[in-house]
Amino acid sequence: MAATTPFHSMPLDQADGLRRLFARAQVRFVPVVSNPHVAFGGVMLERLCSGFAEQGCHTLVVDAAESSPEPNEMAWVDLSACVETLSSEVSYLAARGLPLRYVDARGSTAGMLDAVQRAAPSADVVLVHASASDLCRLFMHHDLLWRPRPLLLADDHPLSVKQAYASMKLLTQRGGLVVHDLMLAAAPESPRAERIAIQIATCADDFLGAVLRDWIQVDPASDARSPSTPALQRWVRETLQPASGLAASGHPAPMELRAPAFN
């Protein structure tokens, strides 16, 4: 069945587009690249939400990954009714397959970003957890004032690393998203974690013309109630800041790959 393109009403006045643009600029959309070979994907999303909560942000998780729950049947009628409040800091929207309902003639599904913001106006951060192909359609034709950095997920096993690199390649070549971050689930004593980050960064630079700007190591066995690691705290603060590190041309400024920090 062909995807249905949503009907968008004409602007009420000439300033309507500007109002929508600047309203959207107040929300930070964070593309989180799903990885079916990561065993602790849910834990990693929880750690991200905790990190933003520590900065006083309310986070909406839009879960559109391949293995995520399907949206409620009310999603097309009233998306706000499908947003589930998990706590005072986190809301959740089951959204597998939902982006394609917003596809337009260009193949873009960026209209879903507008719909999500209207459905959850209190969200400061929207984590969009989806496949690389879905994230390309969502963000390659966006009108956001900044260029988002996709956050790759992986652990210290070969299949997950291979999938993370394949996702980076797709996001770079199809979506034009050339600056990436990496969240790696691994025990603090893992001998492979740093080598994996260096390998991905090197391959990105040598073969894709892309940049792995930063990486965070998260221990999936750590207590979820513990404070975020210094590395995650730093990444969250930088993510919430106005876009930096990009030249006017949109090309990434070079940055030294950082090693993770632990509590």
Side-chain angles (χ1 to χ4, degrees), residues 34-53:
S34 62
N35 189 331
H37 302 292
V38 171
F40 299 99
V43 172
M44 298 168 86
L45 292 178
E46 289 178 0
R47 297 294 189 273
L48 290 171
C49 292
S50 297
F52 286 115

Side-chain angles (χ1 to χ4, degrees), residues 14 19 27 43-44 50 63 77 79 82 88 90 99 118 126 128 133 146-147 165 178 190 198 209 226 230-231:
Q14 291 183 345
R19 284 196 297 270
V27 178
V43 172
M44 298 168 86
S50 297
D63 198 0
V77 178
L79 194 60
C82 305
S88 58
V90 182
R118 290 193 299 269
V126 178
V128 186
S133 57
W146 50 273
R147 198 73 164 159
Y165 179 75
V178 297
S190 171
I198 293 173
S226 300

Side-chain angles (χ1 to χ4, degrees), residues 3-257:
T4 303
T5 302
F7 174 79
H8 298 289
S9 59
M10 293 296 291
L12 298 177
D13 55 62
Q14 291 183 345
D16 182 69
L18 286 176
R19 284 196 297 270
R20 291 173 60 243
L21 181 64
F22 284 100
R24 218 160 125 182
Q26 297 173 5
V27 178
R28 182 64 67 180
F29 288 92
V30 181
V32 180
V33 190
S34 62
N35 189 331
H37 302 292
V38 171
F40 299 99
V43 172
M44 298 168 86
L45 292 178
E46 289 178 0
R47 297 294 189 273
L48 290 171
C49 292
S50 297
F52 286 115
E54 291 171 355
Q55 298 298 316
C57 295
H58 184 97
T59 301
L60 170 64
V61 178
V62 178
D63 198 0
E66 303 92 328
S67 59
S68 303
E70 292 185 350
N72 186 286
E73 59 184 10
M74 286 291 294
W76 192 241
V77 178
D78 183 4
L79 194 60
S80 62
C82 305
V83 175
E84 180 182 358
T85 300
L86 302 183
S87 70
S88 58
E89 296 89 11
V90 182
S91 299
Y92 178 85
L93 175 64
R96 176 159 58 96
L98 191 60
L100 283 178
R101 298 189 186 184
Y102 293 84
V103 70
D104 64 16
R106 300 174 299 173
S108 170
T109 56
M112 182 177 168
L113 303 181
D114 286 320
V116 165
Q117 185 177 354
R118 290 193 299 269
S122 63
D124 304 297
V125 177
V126 178
L127 295 183
V128 186
H129 181 226
S131 67
S133 57
D134 268 336
L135 292 175
C136 285
R137 286 186 287 264
L138 279 162
F139 288 98
M140 66 182 176
H141 293 301
H142 63 72
D143 58 2
L144 298 170
L145 297 180
W146 50 273
R147 198 73 164 159
R149 296 198 312 269
L151 179 64
L152 304 165
L153 301 182
D155 57 31
D156 56 351
H157 293 87
L159 278 178
S160 78
V161 177
K162 182 178 180 180
Q163 179 66 33
Y165 179 75
S167 295
M168 177 188 279
K169 182 177 181 179
L170 185 63
L171 288 160
T172 299
Q173 296 182 345
R174 183 189 297 180
L177 300 170
V178 297
V179 185
H180 308 261
D181 293 327
L182 170 68
M183 190 174 193
L184 189 66
E189 65 275 10
S190 171
R192 297 181 295 275
E194 186 172 0
R195 292 202 303 268
I196 288 169
I198 293 173
Q199 178 186 18
I200 292 177
T202 302
C203 290
D205 185 38
D206 290 348
F207 302 112
L208 303 179
V211 173
L212 184 66
R213 182 183 181 276
D214 198 359
W215 74 288
I216 319 154
Q217 186 171 338
V218 173
D219 181 4
S222 63
D223 190 337
R225 297 167 294 182
S226 300
S228 299
T229 64
L232 180 54
Q233 292 173 5
R234 181 199 67 234
W235 180 86
V236 166
R237 288 193 300 267
E238 292 182 354
T239 298
L240 292 173
Q241 289 175 355
S244 60
L246 290 181
S249 64
H251 295 293
M255 179 174 291
E256 180 181 357
L257 187 65

